[in-house]
Amino acid sequence: MLGEEMNSFIKVWFAVFTSLCYCHAMGKMVPKGPKRLIFLLPIVCLFLYLPLNLYSPHLGGLTAFFIAWLGNFKLLLFAFDKGPLNTSISLPLFMALACLPIKIQQHPIKENPSSKSQGKSKEGTVNYVIKGLLLAIIVWSYNFIEYIHPNIIKLLYALHIYFFLEIFLAIGAAMVRSFYRVELEPQFNEPFLSTSLQDFWGKRWNLMVASIMRPTVYEPTLRFSSAVIGRKWAPVPSVLSTFVVSGVMHELMFYYLRRVSPTGGVSWFFIFHGICLTLEIGLKKALSGKCRLPWIVTGPLTVGFVLGTGVWLFIPQFTRSKLDVRAFEEYAEIGALLKSSCEKVLDHIFYHL
C-alpha cells in the first residue's frame, strides 16, 4: 500500500514540476493580465485534480495544501505579476516558491553572521528539538488512547497538528535556504504567545497562508470596501471575506483527505473566528486604545478561545471518516518499514564481519 502510494506521489509531483516549467516559460512570452491568466487556468485546474490521486493523510494532505491552495493562489497572482513569483528568478527557485509554503525575505543571508544571529539560530534549533520531543510524546500517548478522555484526545490532536506542521515546514524551509542561499520568513511565530485574535491570525499562525490570502482576498476586498463604506471600517468586511475563503479552502483540503461531502464544520470554525475578529477590530477602533488589558489576561484568553473552538468545530473533522485511524495506520506502516530496513542493514553488517 505504501509503495503504491509513493509511486503515485512521485507521478503527481513530476506533473507538478513539469507544469511549473511551462508556467515559468510561458510567463516570459505572455504579458501579464487576463491573457496570461487564460494560459494559467489549465494548470490551476490540473493542480486541483492532482491531489485526488493520493490517499495518504500525510502525502495527500500536504500535496493538496501545497499545490491546490498555495500553489494555485500564487499562480493567480503571477498572472498579474503580483506575489512571490516572477520570471526574473531562476526556474528551480520559481518551482520552490510556487509549490512550497516559503517566502523570501528582502535581505539575503550574510556570509559572516554575527554572534547574535548565531545565538538565535542555536535557540531556534533547541526550540524545534523540544517541539519534536513533545510531538513524539503525543504520538506515543496514542497507545493509551482508550484510557484518555475524548476531549483530551481532541486537544492532543490539535497540538499534534501544530507541532507536525511547524517542524515539517521548518525542515523544508531549511533545505530550501541551504540550497538556494536565500533567507526565508518563518512559517509560525510562537502562536501560543498570542495576545489577541488579530495577533494570532495575522502575525503568528501559518504565516504563509496569511501572506498569500492578503493580496488575493483581503486587499482587493479592502479597496472595494473603502470606496463603499470608507477606509475606517473597510477592514471589517475584508477580514470576514478572507475567513470565508479560508473556510472554503479548508473544506476542500478535508475533501482531499476524506473524500466525503463536507459538513460545513470547518467553514463555520473560520466564519466564527472571522466574526469574532471583526468584532475585536471594531471594539479596538471604538475604544481607540483607551482600555488595554495586560498580556497575562489576553494571552490565556486568546489561546484558550482558539483551542476551545478548535476542539469544538475543527478537530472533530479529523475523526470523521476515521481520518485519525488512517494516520495511525500509516505511522505503524512507516515504523514497520524502518524496522525492517534497520534489520536488513544490521544483518548485512554482521554478515561481513
Side-chain angles (χ1 to χ4, degrees), residues 70-216:
L70 294 184
N72 272 345
F73 275 49
K74 291 176 183 179
L75 289 179
L76 293 175
L77 290 172
F78 175 62
F80 301 94
D81 258 357
K82 296 181 179 181
L85 302 179
N86 60 77
T87 55
S88 64
I89 60 179
S90 66
L91 175 59
L93 185 57
F94 181 92
M95 291 193 293
L97 289 173
C99 62
L100 294 177
I102 56 176
K103 182 179 179 182
I104 298 178
Q105 285 186 347
Q106 296 301 315
H107 59 278
I109 290 180
K110 297 179 180 179
E111 294 297 326
N112 297 310
S114 64
S115 58
K116 181 178 180 180
S117 62
Q118 289 178 338
K120 186 176 180 180
S121 176
K122 291 179 181 178
E123 182 180 322
T125 302
V126 172
N127 184 24
Y128 286 119
V129 169
I130 293 173
K131 289 175 180 176
L133 291 173
L134 291 174
L135 177 60
I137 293 171
I138 290 173
V139 173
W140 172 77
S141 70
Y142 295 150
N143 293 318
F144 313 97
I145 200 167
E146 63 269 22
Y147 306 109
I148 305 175
H149 191 279
N151 288 333
I152 301 298
I153 294 173
K154 292 177 183 178
L155 179 60
L156 290 175
Y157 286 172
L159 296 174
H160 183 160
I161 293 168
Y162 163 55
F163 289 136
F164 173 78
L165 283 177
E166 180 160 10
I167 294 170
F168 181 86
L169 296 180
I171 292 173
M175 295 173 62
V176 173
R177 186 185 297 113
S178 300
F179 187 79
Y180 294 106
R181 300 299 299 167
V182 293
E183 187 61 38
L184 303 176
E185 294 186 1
Q187 291 91 347
F188 290 86
N189 183 24
E190 311 300 356
F192 51 84
L193 297 179
S194 302
T195 58
S196 66
L197 289 177
Q198 193 173 13
D199 183 36
F200 178 85
W201 290 112
K203 299 178 180 179
R204 296 187 180 275
W205 178 261
N206 209 348
L207 299 179
M208 295 304 101
V209 171
S211 68
I212 208 67
M213 295 291 283
R214 191 172 293 112
T216 52

Side-chain angles (χ1 to χ4, degrees), residues 269-290:
F269 171 80
F270 286 96
I271 291 172
F272 181 57
H273 271 257
I275 293 172
C276 292
L277 181 51
T278 54
L279 291 175
E280 179 183 282
I281 293 173
L283 187 61
K284 287 180 179 179
K285 288 182 178 294
L287 294 176
S288 301
K290 295 177 182 178

Side-chain angles (χ1 to χ4, degrees), residues 1-6 59 329-345:
M1 180 65 180
L2 187 59
E4 294 178 1
E5 187 73 3
M6 284 303 302
L59 297 179
E329 291 174 348
E330 196 165 285
Y331 287 139
E333 194 170 353
I334 293 172
L337 181 63
L338 291 174
K339 182 180 178 181
S340 176
S341 300
C342 290
E343 288 176 350
K344 289 181 180 179
V345 171

